[in-house]
Amino acid sequence: MGSRWAIGCVLAVFVYVWRAWPSLMTTVDDAWISARYAANAAAGHGLVYNAGEPPIEGFTNLLWTLWLALGVLTGLRLDQWMVGSGLVLGGLTVVFGGLLARALVDREHWWVPGIASLLIALDSHHAVVSTNGLESAMFDAAVLGAAWAVLASGGSRPAWRWLAGLSVGLLGAIRPEGFVVGAALVALSATPVLQRTRSVKESFLHDVLPVLVPYGALGIALEIWRVTTYGAWVPNTFAAKAKGGWSTFIDSNLAYLSPDAPFWIASAVLGALALMAGWRDVRRWVLAGAALAVVAIAFRVELWMPGGRLLVPAFLLFAVLVASAATHRFGAVVAGLATLGALISPFTSLETVVRRYDRAHSVVMWNGTAVAAIQLAKHAKPGSWLAIRDAGVLAHFVGTDVLVAELHNRALTQLHPDGADADTFAFTPVDPEIIVLTQARVDTPTIRYGRDRAVLERTTVPYRYLGRVHQHYHRYYDIYVREDSGIPDLPPNVVENHSGPPAPRGARPRTPLLKAPIDR
């Protein structure tokens, strides 16, 4: 079985690389929020968005942000570090999917791990999210890897069991829902009791305790650090994104999922049928429970990201369950249908839907925004302020010497007491050195967002309009600089046009500091 499994695994990884390659050098804007935190950490300022300001945890991926900081310290191009790491971790996810399936079946069923790896490798959602610059691939690999470690280390030397527990404990440091998945994996470690193969006492000492202790210790340590550093039990991103609970996002999330609904529905149905095929195996029910918990937590926020990235871990677990059901007669039919669907999926309209949404919401490096930001960074004086709605690409490439005021009403980098919108005027200077307006079209002449308008209209000194630069599909930025900032014009090749509103000339009464309209 070993050689056949290894060959199948290598082939599945090659399939995954083929699937991930079309979107390899694209990232989402939010990835560069973590990158700015990482750059500040590498510069010795700590995990902060703006050096010298009180820390706010505007990232949801501690270990990934620290990994990006390591990339900054190595001197490599951060976009290459991001997507290269994601590509490798996405391939590791394919491997761990096969290993987890292998741990669920008897060794004579050598083809089962190959089915699991192939289902994961062929999925366009996994391919897209792995290289989007965020922690998706790290979390996906960790979920499958930790589940495999818990199952595979049963009955082995105690040291391996403790290492499995360490992998479970690290899940919460990658993403907050990792704590919930980790709790499910602690329950997974107790399955010898549930299956009545060991006594309660024996199983607790040898199976559960080595997993529970690292999980609990790392979780407590992380929460102590979070509270002492940021003054909160959860990342600020939760306060920014999860306003209103599940009911707030049900309609918008169902609408978001509707274009590729057949994929999600088929995955859920086939997963449920696979569970029925092996219903006596408690381990499979625990893994299904972990998958459903991931879905429930994901629905606490708006699922706008390409590839449905917050739902991918649930799909991966269901893919493993479907593959492992192939040892049963009915389950083999389910696995066969899933494999057939996966093989034809690259040539269907579902593929087009996923890829088109990814192109519409992802940044191609190096775009006009990144080049413009680097030009601004060369000439902006240290301590200058940039006011901008989007906190990613431009805010990162303008450098850590420039302070950034995020104008989004649900700003990840600003506090939201009692779930309120960010108090824009409490942290944005009246006359920031750089003001950036967010636009949706290449030739829009007006201001789109109320907070952008409020910041621009309350200025009291003259500004120059440098022009409009391109970010991605239906995302452009109008860049204004104070006349006394010493910042020259942008390179002509990055300026799309000068369609934006004229630059403010100063010498005007300040606009009353009223709340701008809610931006969406």
Side-chain angles (χ1 to χ4, degrees), residues 188-480:
L188 184 68
S189 69
T191 52
V193 171
L194 300 175
Q195 293 176 322
R196 299 179 181 180
T197 58
R198 275 187 176 179
S199 68
V200 173
K201 180 179 179 180
E202 183 183 19
S203 182
F204 180 77
L205 292 176
H206 296 283
D207 299 321
V208 179
L209 195 65
V211 177
L212 178 62
V213 170
Y215 165 75
L218 288 174
I220 292 171
L222 178 60
E223 286 306 302
I224 292 174
W225 169 81
R226 177 169 283 137
V227 170
T228 56
T229 304
Y230 298 108
W233 290 100
V234 295
N236 186 65
T237 52
F238 185 85
K241 290 183 175 182
K243 179 183 178 182
W246 284 282
S247 60
T248 304
F249 301 106
I250 287 178
D251 289 341
S252 62
N253 284 339
L254 290 178
Y256 161 78
L257 294 172
S258 60
D260 53 346
F263 169 82
W264 301 110
I265 293 172
S267 298
V269 170
L270 291 173
L273 292 174
L275 273 176
M276 295 300 103
W279 65 273
R280 293 181 180 177
D281 191 339
V282 179
R283 300 171 302 171
R284 295 158 57 78
W285 287 101
V286 175
L287 291 175
L292 293 177
V294 167
V295 173
I297 295 170
F299 264 76
R300 284 298 305 269
V301 299
E302 196 166 12
L303 299 170
W304 69 267
M305 284 279 188
R309 77 183 193 98
L310 297 184
L311 297 177
V312 168
F315 161 75
L316 299 177
L317 288 170
F318 273 115
V320 171
L321 293 177
V322 167
S324 61
T327 58
H328 303 270
R329 183 176 301 176
F330 174 65
V333 175
V334 174
L337 289 173
T339 304
L340 178 61
L343 288 170
I344 65 174
S345 64
F347 313 101
T348 66
S349 59
L350 290 179
E351 172 80 2
T352 304
V353 167
V354 175
R355 299 292 182 178
R356 184 171 59 231
Y357 195 88
D358 176 57
R359 287 193 298 269
H361 291 84
S362 296
V363 179
V364 178
M365 301 302 296
W366 296 71
N367 64 1
T369 293
V371 175
I374 292 170
Q375 171 77 354
L376 295 172
K378 288 180 181 178
H379 300 281
K381 297 180 178 64
S384 296
W385 275 92
L386 161 68
I388 183 172
R389 183 176 187 270
D390 294 336
V393 170
L394 201 151
H396 168 76
F397 283 98
V398 81
T400 56
D401 288 338
V402 175
L403 305 176
V404 178
E406 185 184 358
L407 304 181
H408 200 293
N409 58 301
R410 306 309 301 175
L412 302 183
T413 62
Q414 296 298 331
L415 295 177
H416 298 267
D418 300 321
D421 284 346
D423 188 0
T424 303
F425 299 116
F427 54 81
T428 306
V430 173
D431 297 310
E433 283 76 7
I434 308 167
I435 298 175
V436 177
L437 309 183
T438 301
Q439 302 288 8
R441 300 292 189 273
V442 68
D443 55 358
T444 304
T446 57
I447 299 176
R448 181 180 186 186
Y449 294 105
R451 291 165 190 265
D452 287 7
R453 177 185 297 279
V455 168
L456 191 69
E457 289 184 346
R458 73 176 185 150
T459 56
T460 64
V461 298
Y463 280 75
R464 288 189 304 114
Y465 177 39
L466 302 188
R468 181 167 296 176
V469 298
H470 182 237
Q471 166 79 323
H472 54 74
Y473 178 75
H474 285 178
R475 182 70 71 181
Y476 297 85
Y477 296 129
D478 286 325
I479 299 178
Y480 300 80

Side-chain angles (χ1 to χ4, degrees), residues 108-126:
E108 64 264 22
H109 303 298
W110 58 268
W111 65 89
V112 168
I115 295 174
S117 292
L118 187 63
L119 291 176
I120 296 171
L122 284 166
D123 178 45
S124 57
H125 300 82
H126 172 60

Side-chain angles (χ1 to χ4, degrees), residues 157-181:
R157 289 180 297 178
W160 289 109
R161 196 65 172 170
W162 286 93
L163 285 175
L166 180 63
S167 68
V168 172
L170 289 175
L171 290 174
I174 303 175
R175 284 196 58 82
E177 61 263 41
F179 286 123
V180 178
V181 177

